[in-house]
């Protein structure tokens, strides 16, 4: 044991002890999630049926991290992905409350409604450029290609976005808001050829990795909230922070 009356030594020792105490928790908080994406085993019908056989053996991610203040009600959101050489297939299931879907125009402010979002960077050489696909509970999409959040991005034309096949379990319009417990699903099929018209797409294949995050929001519902799959460390809600994307690993 070493004993000293020097206050500088005591201060250094206290700081070292503090760092030893908090560092493991910081590492745990910032740990990056990974998701292994399976190849699709056969034909699929895009019908928003979470329970159909082709999705049964596919692992789901859960969106458990919230941004901003914790909402009064926390929806339980799961998502799954599959792929082939031409498409990315995805499905969300939300065990929700305070469900609304008012926006009916493509590229409208769908995130103000009950909304699920898939942000992904398909260019392995440029992991901070990404597409943000946002779909409200009524199946209305928004799709941008982003090189720099909010300053350098392209809004895809509605004609192109309609090439994405989308199915939804809720009516196209949900107004007034449903305040009781409600389960809703969104399923989608994104053509890679359409994406490649706007940016480089590294074709999914075994061992290929993309960066991505899954989100659930409803910023102007009766229960505003912002949930993420991978942790986004920011003092205010902001999904456009690709440095916090997790990793998709194609099998």
């Amino acid at each position: 044991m070493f004993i000293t009356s020097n206050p500088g030594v005591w201060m250094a020792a206290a700081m070292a002890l503090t760092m030893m105490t908090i560092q493991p928790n910081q590492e745990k908080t910032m740990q990056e999630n990974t998701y292994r994406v399976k190849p699709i085993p056969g034909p699929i019908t895009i019908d928003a049926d979470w329970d159909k056989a082709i999705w049964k053996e596919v692992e789901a991610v859960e969106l458990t991290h919230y941004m901003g203040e914790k909402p009064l009600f926390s929806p339980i959101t799961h998502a799954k992905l599959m792929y082939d050489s031409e498409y990315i297939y995805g499905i969300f299931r939300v065990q929700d409350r305070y469900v609304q879907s008012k926006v009916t125009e493509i590229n409208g402010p769908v995130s103000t409604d009950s909304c699920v979002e898939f942000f992904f960077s398909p260019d392995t050489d440029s992991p901070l450029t990404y597409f943000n696909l946002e779909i409200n509970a009524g199946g209305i999409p928004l799709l941008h290609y982003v090189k720099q959040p909010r300053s350098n991005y392209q809004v895809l034309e509605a004609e192109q976005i309609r090439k994405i096949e989308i199915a939804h379990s809720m009516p196209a319009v949900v107004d007034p808001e449903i305040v009781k417990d409600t389960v809703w699903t969104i399923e989608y099929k994104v053509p890679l050829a359409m994406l490649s018209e706007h940016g480089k797409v590294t074709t999914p294949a075994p061992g290929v990795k993309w960066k991505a995050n899954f989100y659930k929001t409803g910023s102007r519902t009766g229960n505003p909230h912002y949930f993420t799959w991978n942790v986004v460390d920011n003092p205010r809600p902001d999904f456009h922070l690709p440095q916090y994307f997790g990793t998709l690993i194609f099998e």
Side-chain angles (χ1 to χ4, degrees):
M1 178 179 291
F2 175 69
I3 300 176
T4 180
S5 59
N6 187 326
V9 174
W10 280 112
M11 180 66 72
M15 291 178 64
L17 180 59
T18 300
M19 290 299 293
M20 290 173 62
T21 302
I22 67 173
Q23 189 65 26
N25 290 333
Q26 290 176 340
E27 289 177 354
K28 182 177 180 181
T29 300
M30 298 309 299
Q31 182 177 359
E32 181 183 291
N33 286 333
T34 60
Y35 178 64
R36 305 192 74 87
V37 186
K38 295 180 179 294
I40 195 163
I44 186 171
T45 300
I46 305 301
D47 57 8
D49 181 4
W50 177 269
D51 295 318
K52 63 174 172 274
I54 201 165
W55 286 113
K56 285 288 189 181
E57 302 303 318
V58 178
E59 179 185 1
V61 301
E62 184 174 356
L63 284 57
T64 58
H65 305 287
Y66 64 88
M67 300 191 71
E69 294 185 8
K70 186 175 183 179
L72 294 177
F73 172 78
S74 295
I76 300 173
T77 306
H78 291 91
K80 297 181 177 183
L81 292 176
M82 289 188 289
Y83 80 98
D84 59 27
S85 61
E86 297 183 72
Y87 298 94
I88 292 292
Y89 307 84
I91 191 166
F92 282 90
R93 180 184 63 183
V94 187
Q95 296 166 261
D96 211 353
R97 199 182 295 169
Y98 308 99
V99 178
Q100 74 173 33
S101 183
K102 298 180 180 181
V103 177
T104 57
E105 66 275 10
I106 291 176
N107 284 327
V110 294
S111 65
T112 62
D113 286 337
S114 303
C115 184
V116 289
E117 307 186 3
F118 176 46
F119 284 35
F120 58 101
S121 177
D123 180 358
T124 56
D125 294 326
S126 184
L128 296 182
T129 61
Y130 59 94
F131 291 89
N132 56 298
L133 174 61
E134 309 173 13
I135 308 173
N136 70 6
I140 301 299
L142 171 152
L143 183 60
H144 297 171
Y145 175 60
V146 183
K147 293 183 178 179
Q148 185 69 36
R150 298 184 178 83
S151 64
N152 185 2
Y153 64 93
Q154 181 181 3
V155 179
L156 274 69
E157 297 291 338
E159 181 179 352
Q160 290 185 304
I161 296 174
R162 289 191 184 97
K163 295 177 182 178
I164 302 173
E165 191 173 347
I166 299 173
H168 49 100
S169 64
M170 300 295 293
V173 175
V174 179
D175 185 21
E177 183 177 72
I178 300 172
V179 298
K180 64 181 181 180
D181 290 347
T182 303
V183 178
W184 56 277
T185 55
I186 291 288
E187 189 175 18
Y188 55 94
K189 175 183 176 182
V190 182
L192 300 178
M194 182 267 288
L195 300 177
S196 65
E197 295 177 20
H198 304 277
K200 178 186 171 185
V201 174
T202 304
T203 303
V208 168
K209 297 179 181 180
W210 287 6
K211 305 297 291 185
N213 214 342
F214 301 91
Y215 303 117
K216 166 68 176 73
T217 189
S219 63
R220 294 185 185 174
T221 67
N223 181 59
H225 58 274
Y226 307 86
F227 278 84
T228 76
W229 167 58
N230 204 63
V231 173
V232 180
D233 184 19
N234 203 60
R236 65 179 181 83
D238 186 356
F239 292 165
H240 290 269
L241 295 170
Q243 64 269 37
Y244 292 110
F245 285 3
T247 299
L248 307 179
I249 304 173
F250 293 96
E251 297 188 339

